[in-house]
Amino acid sequence: MTSRNEHDAHARPEPAADAVALLEGVRDGLGDVTLPLALPDVEQARLEAAAAARQLDDYILPRYRSLDAPLLAVVGGSTGAGKSTLVNALVDHPVTRAGAIRPTTRQPILLHNPSEAAWFEGQRVLPGLSRIRGVLAGGNVPSSRAGAEPDAGAMSSLVLLADPAVPAGVALLDAPDVDSISDENRKLAGQLLAAADLWIFVTTANRYADAVPWKLLLNAAARDIMVAVVLDRVPPGAEAEVSEDLRALLNREGLGGAQLFIIPETALDSMGMLPEGTVRPLRGWLEDLAADAAGRSDVARRTLNGAVRALAERVSRIAQAAREQQRAAAGLEAGAVSAYEDAAGRIMEATRDGALLRGEVLARWQDFVGTGEFFRSLEQNVGRFRDRLGAFFRGEPPPAVRVEAAIETGLQAVILDEAANAAEETDRRWRADTAGRRLLGTDDLSGASAGFADRAAAEIRAWQEALMELIRVEGQGKRTQARWLSFGINGLGAALMIVVFSMTAGLTGLEIGVAGGTAVVGQRLLEAVFGEDAVRRMAEKAREDLAVRCRRLLDEEQQKFLSRLPDRQDIADNALTAHADALARLAGSA
């Protein structure tokens, strides 16, 4: 292959700054995509996001920034198809090793004209691969550094070989097998093909219909990339039949415009080289392309258009996956929030319907206020209440603090029970969902958290203290009742708690028929001291305070679920959706 000393810098406009900025924004957005929830097909979406980011780095952004850079022709194909032998034939001397032991090509080799080294020595294309500089020894025979088989562990390297036999304007890249038994080889082959301006796809007369190569060829058709297909090792007399069948397959799959080159089955010489003239048609095609600056530009733009169009479709799918993640996260969050909101409602209902004025609370309250004749007198003659109240305080009833303790114990039991119910319900809902089940793992969150009982008790005591302070503030301007407050603050506090727990209709009044009529004692006592309106106002405020505290307790408790959800910013799709639309518009103007 002859070389061209001149580098035809065909005049072309610089890429629009806004187009490059858009592509850089897409790249940044893809870098932020995590898709953390284990939804169906999420692994495919993650792979698509990684592949899209990689192609932006490897091909789209570099090509947009330098449309006049040499074309990169990647030589790819099936195991044993003869890719390395073909590359050696194109430059008419051995530069890459072929062999019978697979996988053979462990490290890609990029051949370029010496005048174009600057295009490839940096990280302009394939920035994820480090560079190894190969050299040709005397007589155009490559040194061991370039021609020997590289270490298997050096997969992330790209061997650069400057060869005057490569015409300026086109570089050749010998890629690993697309169907290699090595996962790393297959992945690298796919990455290199995605970074190509054009493909030279090598297959054989007995393997040209294999599924794996055709999957990649169909990908090329979708991207509208220029493809040259080399049909290798065609037996004598079978050229017409095999080439006709292959051409029919190419036409059927949308690759009718692909160049087709035939290499007959022939023996290699002692250096593993094909006979002279075997690859002359392919070499001439490459030389003509290299010499035509306008033609190279058309190839680059065609491939770039196809790559951007495919990127737009891929980003759209990733955005859809992000939206599905958002919906799944919102559904899991809503399940937890609903369970704990229901629990909060049940707690407040239990404090409203008199349920807490039974058992221990009722017993302690009755011990405190007395029973029998006291109640009958109180019911029959409210006007004598103040006289009886003075006698009440002069006696020595059981301490009101026992009522408070009983209320604390009873209320704590209700809160603990409902918190456990909410946790069990949330755990059930999440485990019925694939993503929720993965977030929970083997952790058992179906009960109240450790330490929740202590936090609930502390919150109840804080509520009781706030209630006492409410009574003190309300009684500050009532001189006639000041001495009662000084003597019975705990008793008044216990009475207000009883009133709070006997409310059945919000602000409409106090139910007096709870637990055998005992709540009326607290009601009448407080009304005698503060007045009916003040009692209603204090009860309302105390109840609202209790509701806030219970809600806070449950909000903190539900965080053991919600804290496992990903940050919504990690799965935001708005930018990706906008990028997909913008990319679709850009695809026709590259």
Side-chain angles (χ1 to χ4, degrees):
M1 183 180 292
T2 60
S3 64
R4 220 167 35 88
N5 293 326
E6 62 183 23
H7 184 191
D8 184 359
H10 182 70
R12 66 186 85 248
E14 288 299 314
D18 56 349
V20 174
L22 167 63
L23 293 168
E24 290 173 342
V26 174
R27 179 61 183 87
D28 291 341
L30 289 169
D32 293 335
V33 170
T34 59
L35 305 177
L37 298 180
L39 301 181
D41 300 325
V42 70
E43 287 300 328
Q44 179 60 33
R46 290 169 183 164
L47 290 174
E48 288 221 60
R54 190 164 53 240
Q55 191 176 31
L56 276 162
D57 291 339
D58 291 348
Y59 176 72
I60 295 176
L61 277 168
R63 178 51 73 190
Y64 244 103
R65 291 167 178 152
S66 51
L67 286 169
D68 57 345
L71 295 180
L72 182 60
V74 174
V75 181
S78 304
T79 300
K83 299 182 301 299
S84 297
T85 301
L86 177 68
V87 171
N88 292 337
L90 287 173
V91 295
D92 203 25
H93 52 258
V95 291
T96 183
R97 175 173 296 178
I101 300 176
R102 304 297 171 189
T104 299
T105 305
R106 294 190 178 94
Q107 208 168 19
I109 298 178
L110 191 153
L111 292 93
H112 60 83
N113 187 274
S115 67
E116 297 178 331
W119 289 114
F120 304 104
E121 288 178 341
Q123 302 302 111
R124 185 186 67 87
V125 295
L126 297 165
L129 302 180
S130 62
R131 269 48 174 174
I132 298 176
R133 167 53 63 189
V135 293
L136 286 173
N140 284 342
V141 178
S143 71
S144 59
R145 186 177 183 186
E149 191 66 35
D151 289 339
M155 278 301 299
S156 60
S157 298
L158 180 64
V159 176
L160 301 180
L161 188 60
D163 192 330
V166 179
V170 175
L172 297 174
L173 200 163
D174 184 19
D177 302 332
V178 297
D179 56 355
S180 172
I181 59 175
S182 164
D183 290 342
E184 291 301 320
N185 274 359
R186 291 197 308 275
K187 291 177 182 177
L188 183 57
Q191 179 182 359
L192 298 179
L193 288 169
D197 290 298
L198 64 95
W199 289 4
I200 300 176
F201 207 84
V202 186
T203 187
T204 62
N206 62 351
R207 296 195 61 186
Y208 65 84
D210 287 359
V212 172
W214 274 100
K215 182 178 179 181
L216 290 171
L217 286 171
L218 291 176
N219 178 266
R223 286 179 50 198
D224 197 29
I225 190 172
M226 178 177 283
V227 177
V229 178
V230 177
L231 186 60
D232 195 12
R233 299 175 191 160
V234 179
E239 177 178 329
E241 178 183 358
V242 174
S243 61
E244 182 179 347
D245 187 49
L246 176 54
R247 175 60 68 187
L249 288 173
L250 290 169
N251 288 334
R252 188 178 67 196
E253 301 298 347
L255 288 163
Q259 298 288 327
L260 179 59
F261 299 95
I262 306 297
I263 297 179
E265 187 174 29
T266 184
L268 304 180
D269 65 16
S270 60
M271 296 186 67
M273 299 289 295
L274 287 167
E276 175 69 24
T278 305
V279 298
R280 185 175 294 121
L282 175 59
R283 182 189 300 162
W285 178 72
L286 287 172
E287 288 175 343
D288 290 343
L289 182 61
D292 182 2
R296 294 199 314 272
S297 177
D298 289 343
V299 170
R301 290 179 180 277
R302 170 182 166 179
T303 302
L304 188 55
N305 275 336
V308 172
R309 186 168 56 252
L311 177 66
E313 295 171 357
R314 178 172 269 166
V315 170
S316 181
R317 291 193 296 271
I318 297 166
Q320 176 61 29
R323 287 192 292 273
E324 292 171 0
Q325 293 263 319
Q326 287 182 322
R327 284 193 290 270
L332 291 171
E333 180 179 5
V337 169
S338 173
Y340 280 91
E341 283 182 347
D342 290 347
R346 290 192 297 269
I347 290 171
M348 295 313 296
E349 182 61 30
T351 65
R352 180 186 293 111
D353 63 7
L356 282 172
L357 300 184
R358 301 184 180 93
E360 185 68 14
V361 174
L362 176 59
R364 297 287 74 80
W365 175 247
Q366 289 178 335
D367 287 346
F368 180 61
V369 301
T371 57
E373 184 64 27
F374 175 82
F375 286 110
R376 288 193 294 273
S377 299
L378 191 61
E379 293 288 339
Q380 294 167 1
N381 193 351
V382 177
R384 294 163 53 196
F385 180 78
R386 287 181 176 82
D387 295 335
R388 297 299 300 272
L389 187 62
F392 172 81
F393 279 113
R394 286 193 297 271
E396 295 181 357
V401 71
R402 294 182 183 178
V403 180
E404 297 173 23
I407 288 174
E408 177 187 331
T409 301
L411 183 55
Q412 181 191 34
V414 171
I415 294 174
L416 288 177
D417 187 50
E418 293 301 342
N421 289 339
E424 184 176 4
E425 176 64 14
T426 303
D427 185 85
R428 183 191 64 77
R429 291 178 181 179
W430 280 37
R431 291 196 183 280
D433 181 276
T434 302
R437 189 162 54 248
R438 180 69 63 85
L439 290 174
L440 292 176
T442 59
D443 296 339
D444 182 7
L445 304 184
S446 61
S449 301
F452 180 73
D454 292 338
R455 294 196 299 275
E459 197 67 65
I460 294 169
R461 289 192 293 271
W463 172 71
Q464 291 175 328
E465 291 170 3
L467 185 143
M468 298 296 183
E469 182 61 25
L470 181 64
I471 291 174
R472 291 189 186 95
V473 172
E474 186 65 31
Q476 284 178 354
K478 301 182 182 296
R479 298 178 181 177
T480 57
Q481 282 82 29
R483 59 190 180 90
W484 294 338
L485 288 174
S486 65
F487 286 112
I489 184 67
N490 289 100
L492 294 175
L496 183 54
M497 293 177 208
I498 294 297
V499 168
V500 169
F501 294 150
S502 65
M503 294 175 68
T504 58
L507 303 181
T508 63
L510 303 174
E511 179 62 41
I512 65 172
V514 178
T518 55
V520 72
V521 177
Q523 175 186 345
R524 300 291 175 78
L525 188 153
L526 292 169
E527 288 177 354
V529 175
F530 301 106
E532 183 177 352
D533 289 341
V535 172
R536 183 178 293 108
R537 186 173 60 253
M538 287 192 297
E540 175 192 350
K541 189 170 183 179
R543 184 168 185 78
E544 289 175 351
D545 184 32
L546 179 60
V548 168
R549 293 176 185 274
C550 289
R551 179 68 265 181
R552 182 166 59 235
L553 277 170
L554 293 178
D555 283 347
E556 293 171 355
E557 182 69 357
Q558 74 182 6
Q559 286 304 312
K560 67 183 181 182
F561 291 100
L562 299 186
S563 63
R564 295 174 179 245
L565 290 171
D567 190 319
R568 292 298 179 86
Q569 292 301 316
D570 290 344
I571 53 177
D573 73 295
N574 292 339
L576 289 176
T577 300
H579 286 329
D581 294 340
L583 286 170
R585 294 190 295 270
L586 179 64
S589 61

